[in-house]
Amino acid sequence: MKKGLIVLAVLVAACFTRGIDAQNSAPYKNYFELVTMNDPSNLLDKITIYPPVFGILQGGDTRLKIKICNNGNTLLKKSFFYVYYKNKKVGKTLLPSLKANGSYEFCVNVHDKIGRRDRQNVSFKIKRKKAFRTYRIAYPY
């Protein structure tokens, strides 16, 4: 009986530790692919976009919750964040001044239903003055 409990405890511990490791090891850089870029000074290279959280509103529309972090050492001022769905601009957000290691979270409503296969049609653009970077959700997601 003691051997059975020990084996069960080891198996349960192994299952839980694998799940935690797999969850934390998902790299955010591999979730997006860079589509276009005009950033000669690499100012926007230190901006990290976390994978968006897709939610459904009552009418069947989709809400995207997005988090952006500034991993650079400089203050990022007056930047815009655009969300496109099927090459149509869905949302435009003026980001606040992001300090070094600062983050900002916001939501964008898309007046359409986005299925799992349609997520590849969602793209994001970060723009500051004339410098910009456009990202798309990588396939397979």
Side-chain angles (χ1 to χ4, degrees):
M1 176 119 173
K2 284 186 176 181
K3 289 182 182 179
L5 289 174
I6 292 173
V7 170
L8 180 65
V10 169
L11 288 175
V12 168
C15 290
F16 283 122
T17 56
R18 279 192 208 142
I20 292 171
D21 289 340
Q23 206 172 25
N24 290 335
S25 66
Y28 296 121
K29 296 246 180 200
N30 294 338
Y31 192 80
F32 295 106
E33 61 183 349
L34 185 65
V35 178
T36 57
M37 178 182 87
N38 181 18
D39 190 14
S41 62
N42 290 332
L43 177 68
L44 301 173
D45 188 36
K46 300 295 182 180
I47 301 297
T48 302
I49 305 171
Y50 287 88
V53 178
F54 291 83
I56 299 173
L57 298 173
Q58 273 185 340
D61 296 341
T62 304
R63 174 176 281 179
L64 299 173
K65 183 177 179 185
I66 302 167
K67 181 178 179 182
I68 297 177
C69 289
N70 181 10
N71 295 329
N73 294 330
T74 60
L75 180 71
L76 186 68
K77 294 182 180 180
K78 293 186 182 175
S79 301
F80 287 95
F81 189 83
Y82 298 92
V83 179
Y84 295 94
Y85 178 61
K86 293 184 179 178
N87 296 327
K88 291 183 180 179
K89 185 168 60 172
V90 175
K92 176 182 176 182
T93 305
L94 174 64
L95 300 175
S97 298
L98 289 175
K99 297 178 182 177
N101 297 321
S103 65
Y104 181 64
E105 289 185 38
F106 59 96
C107 293
V108 175
N109 293 339
V110 179
H111 298 291
D112 202 358
K113 185 175 182 181
I114 300 177
R116 203 175 254 298
R117 293 184 183 190
D118 295 332
R119 290 183 183 181
Q120 192 176 10
N121 295 328
V122 177
S123 59
F124 307 103
K125 183 178 191 179
I126 301 174
K127 185 175 180 183
R128 182 173 189 276
K129 295 184 181 179
K130 293 186 179 185
F132 68 88
R133 286 180 177 246
T134 305
Y135 296 96
R136 180 177 76 185
I137 297 176
Y139 185 81
Y141 30 84

